Amino acid sequence: MKKNKVGILGGTFDPPHIGHLIMAQEALEQCNLDKIWFMPSASPPHKKVDGVSSGNDRVKMVEKMIGEVEEFELSLIEFEREGPSFTVDTMKELKMKHPDFEFYFIIGGDSVAALHTWERIDELMEIVTFIGIERPGHAFKSSYLDSIIAIETPLIGISSTMLRKRFRQKKNTKYYVTEAVKDYIEVNQLYDEG
Ligand code: ATP
């Protein structure tokens, strides 16, 4: 059977955490997708910009997190262009490369609420179907709500920001990120002070 229903999970992944894994797996199952492509956003290589870890580190962490899971893949398309990309341009390119694929774009409640601010959102909506997942602390509200698939999952009160802080403060991070990601962060001292 041809695998052609693809859910994209775009993000900064600084670091990737179990919230991302849960949303990916729930979208996969509830929307009968064939694959999830984790798509880290680009930033200049080997450089910290506004506190964001290098693209290289974020890609490595995503790779480690998805490991050998057959349905999960890494998409480096945003690194193939110079500088940051608008999602609409990335998705147009993907659609051109894979015209027979059906693309879904998985987002959390904070992104749902901000959809109206996305570059050329109406054009993007023609290319992808959004799958929205509620997020604690964010109202699940948008003028685009009728156009997206809202799936139900337990609320996951975890964010990358919270985890960077926990690593910096040497607080518990076990089970919030996978072991391989935790090791990578600690060996490379990604979020240490200074
Ligand atoms: P930050 O703390 O910087 O906001 P983040 O935890 O949102 O980071 P991203 O890599 O920016 O991590 O997230 C990618 C996508 O995953 C976004 O659409 C975001 O809304 C969604 N997401 C991340 N964590 C959760 C969560 N706990 N519940 C629901 N959606 C989430």
Side-chain angles (χ1 to χ4, degrees):
M1 199 192 80
K2 206 154 177 301
K3 302 278 187 200
N4 60 4
K5 280 176 84 174
V6 176
I8 309 262
L9 179 49
T12 315
F13 300 115
D14 192 21
H17 51 73
I18 57 156
H20 297 125
L21 283 176
I22 294 171
M23 33 191 321
Q25 186 64 28
E26 288 292 340
L28 185 83
E29 289 188 25
Q30 294 191 40
C31 300
N32 289 313
L33 308 180
D34 299 304
K35 292 273 180 199
I36 304 289
W37 292 358
F38 288 75
M39 193 174 79
S41 58
S43 64
H46 312 300
K47 237 187 185 182
K48 287 211 168 192
V49 179
D50 298 334
V52 179
S53 300
S54 74
N56 180 49
D57 283 330
R58 293 181 294 109
V59 166
K60 287 250 174 65
M61 287 191 283
V62 172
E63 244 168 6
K64 285 179 183 296
M65 181 175 81
I66 63 184
E68 303 299 311
V69 179
E70 202 198 314
E71 293 89 355
F72 292 173
E73 290 176 6
L74 172 70
S75 167
L76 292 179
I77 186 161
E78 298 224 318
F79 287 85
E80 288 160 14
R81 265 192 243 117
E82 290 276 308
S85 329
F86 289 120
T87 303
V88 62
D89 295 323
T90 304
M91 291 315 303
K92 271 166 86 170
E93 198 177 320
L94 280 179
K95 192 71 194 168
M96 226 137 70
K97 281 191 182 159
H98 311 280
D100 54 334
F101 281 23
E102 236 175 79
F103 285 109
Y104 294 77
F105 204 93
I106 308 159
I107 54 174
D110 51 320
S111 308
V112 170
L115 270 181
H116 63 283
T117 67
W118 286 35
E119 178 76 11
R120 283 167 281 143
I121 181 64
D122 296 304
E123 196 182 335
L124 177 56
M125 290 250 174
E126 311 247 309
I127 311 172
V128 304
T129 305
F130 277 95
I131 299 172
I133 292 172
E134 255 196 87
R135 189 168 192 180
H138 300 274
F140 199 78
K141 274 203 306 212
S142 165
S143 49
Y144 289 95
L145 221 47
D146 289 346
S147 315
I148 76 175
I149 302 174
I151 63 169
E152 286 200 20
T153 72
L155 291 179
I156 314 152
I158 294 179
S159 70
S160 296
T161 306
M162 171 212 272
L163 285 165
R164 290 194 298 274
K165 199 165 156 204
R166 279 181 170 249
F167 276 104
R168 199 162 48 242
Q169 299 178 340
K170 313 276 186 220
K171 286 194 177 154
N172 173 48
T173 48
K174 194 168 178 176
Y175 306 128
Y176 291 69
V177 294
T178 67
E179 252 180 84
V181 171
K182 184 166 155 63
D183 286 349
Y184 185 89
I185 292 169
E186 288 172 353
V187 166
N188 294 284
Q189 304 176 334
L190 279 196
Y191 305 123
D192 288 2
E193 213 81 61

